[in-house]
């Protein structure tokens, strides 16, 4: 857990200066001082582990600094301004983003709301690297969850499964998604988890011989081609098998779980050459071939997929890709960020990838209330912002201290003008009630009721204020 180890790991993939890493390391160590985690370890071990995970994802230097510093504002006397002075805007902004997400507490058990929360987290983060720090933070918390109370475990595991695993999937970081899912599953359904992982191990043990034989045969075939390659096995995702059982309503024994092998090679042309060699030695099963190299998936995933029959009559799924494609599949967005680092900017598809990222974010915003989300990206989101849900689950950004009247005018001036009451989280509240992030607000209206003069004393938004004044003016009600 020394700064040398972290710098060594970082320097294996980056030439960026490491002075800042050292500063952040010492700063975080001092700031957290004697603070302890539930495990009894020093708090600093947590932020160090988060930085290490970010280095596993080959993130840039400011992101790793932010990993080291991510809990200083939340848990110590350090302020964002101090971080700005010590480490500059970029690192301070990343930490601020993570701190903001920390304040959004998710508790809903409603799937539709979960989608809005995921969007809200993205909108709040603004910079994808903030999400990366948050995901690394969550991964380490999940890996050390056994020290917390059962109640806390359930709460955090549920939030991870509903919010953070889908986010990592969207970012294309599949191994992160799998680990978050399996860890959540372990705490949410401990019995099912134990049973299923035992069964999977047993099945794998039985089929190891088949896979071993296939691998040997494949190696002898591929070696004669003189093309560089390496073979990898696919990791098992216990939760995805559980989901399949639920969806298809079948026991484990009836769930198809094809054995799989990956072939990683150097060039695109060699992917196709190796495919030809595989097909000429093993019979492909009907309609199993998909060319994701010529037609990449939306998240930029590229690979050739085919399923062939082994000599023992077992179908084996084969994925063939280049090292580059493999990195994109393993690290997702994180891999794209790596290309941003000046020294290694050799990726000619960089623009295309960043463009995809932008489109992806835009697509997210288009799903619902596009304008609000675009605005929240454009206007500098500050700590003064809260997010309030409509009963239908749309998220509306409002300033801190906003009231149901602000909310009503935000939705529509007519709803504001006719507002006579409000329910927050199904309870009636006064119209000057202060809304909080995550509240569900429902406005009660009555036709032609009209705004009241005293509303001007408590509304927080300029638009509500001006609409109330306009109504009062037009209806000759004295100010
Ligand atoms: Mn943390």
């Amino acid at each position: 857990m020394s700064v040398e180890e972290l710098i060594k790991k970082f320097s294996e993939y980056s030439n960026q200066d490491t002075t800042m890493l050292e500063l952040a390391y010492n700063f975080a160590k001092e700031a957290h001082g004697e603070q302890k985690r539930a495990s009894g370890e020093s708090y600093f071990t947590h932020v160090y582990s988060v930085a290490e995970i970010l280095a596993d994802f080959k993130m840039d230097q400011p992101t790793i600094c932010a990993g080291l510093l991510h809990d200083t504002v939340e848990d110590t006397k350090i302020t964002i301004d101090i971080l700005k002075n010590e480490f500059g805007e970029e690192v301070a902004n990343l930490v601020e983003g993570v701190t903001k997400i920390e304040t959004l507490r998710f508790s809903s058990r409603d799937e539709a709301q979960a989608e809005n929360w995921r969007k809200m987290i993205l909108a709040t983060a603004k910079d994808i690297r903030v999400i990366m720090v948050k995901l690394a933070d969550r991964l380490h918390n999940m890996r050390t969850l056994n020290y917390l109370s059962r109640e806390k475990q359930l709460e955090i595991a549920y939030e991870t499964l509903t919010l953070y695993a889908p986010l990592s999937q969207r970012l294309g970081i599949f191994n992160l998604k799998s680990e978050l899912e399996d860890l959540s599953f372990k705490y949410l359904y401990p019995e099912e988890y134990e049973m299923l992982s035992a069964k999977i191990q047993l099945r794998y043990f039985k089929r190891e011989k088949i896979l071993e034989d296939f691998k040997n045969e494949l190696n002898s075939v591929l070696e004669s081609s003189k093309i560089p390659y390496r073979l990898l096995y696919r990791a098992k995702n216990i939760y995805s098998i559980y989901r399949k059982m639920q969806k298809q309503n079948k026991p484990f024994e009836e769930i198809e779980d094809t054995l799989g092998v990956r072939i990683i090679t150097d060039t695109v042309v060699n992917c196709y050459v190796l495919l030809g060699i595989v097909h000429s030695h093993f019979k492909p099963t009907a309609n199993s071939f998909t060319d994701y190299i010529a037609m990449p998936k939306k998240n930029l995933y590229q690979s050739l997929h085919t399923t062939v029959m082994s000599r023992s009559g077992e179908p084996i799924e084969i994925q063939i890709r280049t090292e580059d494609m493999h990195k994109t599949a393993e690290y997702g967005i994180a891999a794209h960020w790596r290309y941003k680092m000046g020294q290694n900017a050799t990726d000619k598809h960089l623009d295309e990838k960043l463009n995809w990222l932008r489109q992806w974010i835009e697509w997210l915003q288009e799903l619902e209330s596009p304008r609000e989300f675009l605005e929240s990206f454009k206007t500098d989101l500050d700590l003064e912002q809260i997010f309030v849900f409509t009963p239908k689950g749309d998220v509306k950004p409002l300033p801190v201290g906003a009231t149901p009247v602000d909310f009503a005018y935000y939705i529509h001036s007519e709803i504001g003008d006719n507002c006579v009451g409000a329910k927050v989280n199904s309870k009636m509240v006064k119209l000057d009630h202060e809304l909080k992030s995550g509240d569900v607000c429902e406005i009660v209206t009555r036709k032609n009721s009209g705004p009241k003069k005293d509303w001007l004393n408590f509304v927080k938004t300029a638009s509500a204020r001006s609409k109330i004044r306009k109504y009062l003016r037009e209806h000759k009600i004295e100010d």
Side-chain angles (χ1 to χ4, degrees), residues 254-290:
E254 287 172 36
I255 295 294
E256 249 192 78
D257 176 27
T258 319
L259 291 169
V261 171
R262 284 193 182 121
I263 307 172
I264 317 288
T265 186
D266 56 348
T267 64
V268 172
V269 171
N270 280 341
C271 289
Y272 290 100
V273 176
L274 291 176
L275 175 78
I277 294 171
V278 168
H279 276 179
S280 62
H281 282 82
F282 301 96
K283 191 178 156 45
T285 60
N287 302 322
S288 73
F289 175 64
T290 318

Side-chain angles (χ1 to χ4, degrees), residues 236-248:
K236 283 270 157 286
N237 183 192
I238 302 176
Y239 183 68
S240 75
I241 294 176
Y242 177 72
R243 279 288 295 263
K244 253 192 209 172
M245 289 163 59
Q246 301 277 307
K247 254 195 216 149
Q248 302 176 11

Side-chain angles (χ1 to χ4, degrees), residues 26-42:
N26 293 325
F27 188 94
K29 196 160 194 179
E30 168 135 14
H32 288 292
E34 296 299 303
Q35 284 178 354
K36 293 265 185 289
R37 302 197 84 210
S39 63
E41 286 180 306
S42 77

Side-chain angles (χ1 to χ4, degrees), residues 43 46 70-71 137 141:
Y43 199 90
H46 165 64
H70 81 274
D71 277 328
D137 175 48
N141 285 335

Side-chain angles (χ1 to χ4, degrees), residues 210-371:
I210 299 171
L211 202 58
E212 209 43 49
D213 289 348
F214 180 78
K215 215 185 88 181
N216 288 337
E217 197 174 344
L218 187 63
N219 269 327
S220 68
V221 168
L222 295 181
E223 268 161 20
S224 61
S225 74
K226 304 275 179 261
I227 290 171
Y229 74 93
R230 61 193 176 104
L231 292 186
L232 292 175
Y233 293 112
R234 277 192 326 215
K236 283 270 157 286
N237 183 192
I238 302 176
Y239 183 68
S240 75
I241 294 176
Y242 177 72
R243 279 288 295 263
K244 253 192 209 172
M245 289 163 59
Q246 301 277 307
K247 254 195 216 149
Q248 302 176 11
N249 195 21
K250 282 180 183 166
F252 174 74
E253 289 66 26
E254 287 172 36
I255 295 294
E256 249 192 78
D257 176 27
T258 319
L259 291 169
V261 171
R262 284 193 182 121
I263 307 172
I264 317 288
T265 186
D266 56 348
T267 64
V268 172
V269 171
N270 280 341
C271 289
Y272 290 100
V273 176
L274 291 176
L275 175 78
I277 294 171
V278 168
H279 276 179
S280 62
H281 282 82
F282 301 96
K283 191 178 156 45
T285 60
N287 302 322
S288 73
F289 175 64
T290 318
D291 186 344
Y292 290 116
I293 290 182
M295 286 162 292
K297 287 193 192 177
K298 254 213 147 124
N299 61 13
L300 296 177
Y301 175 85
Q302 286 185 298
S303 242
L304 300 175
H305 286 196
T306 185
T307 304
V308 300
M309 292 310 261
S310 72
R311 299 278 170 238
S312 51
E314 184 98 4
I316 311 237
E317 194 182 82
I318 298 180
Q319 300 175 348
I320 307 173
R321 52 174 82 140
T322 65
E323 292 284 353
D324 254 15
M325 295 170 189
H326 185 57
K327 275 179 204 152
T328 299
E330 292 282 292
Y331 299 123
I333 292 289
H336 310 155
W337 275 107
R338 215 161 354 128
Y339 295 113
K340 270 198 80 182
M341 297 185 297
Q343 314 83 332
N344 306 334
T346 50
D347 181 32
K348 58 181 193 294
H349 299 299
L350 173 63
D351 282 346
E352 193 182 307
K353 285 169 177 170
L354 291 176
N355 207 19
W356 168 79
L357 182 58
R358 273 191 292 275
Q359 275 174 9
W360 177 74
I361 291 167
E362 271 163 29
W363 167 75
L364 273 175
Q365 296 161 29
E366 271 163 25
L367 290 179
E368 267 166 283
S369 47
R371 185 166 312 135

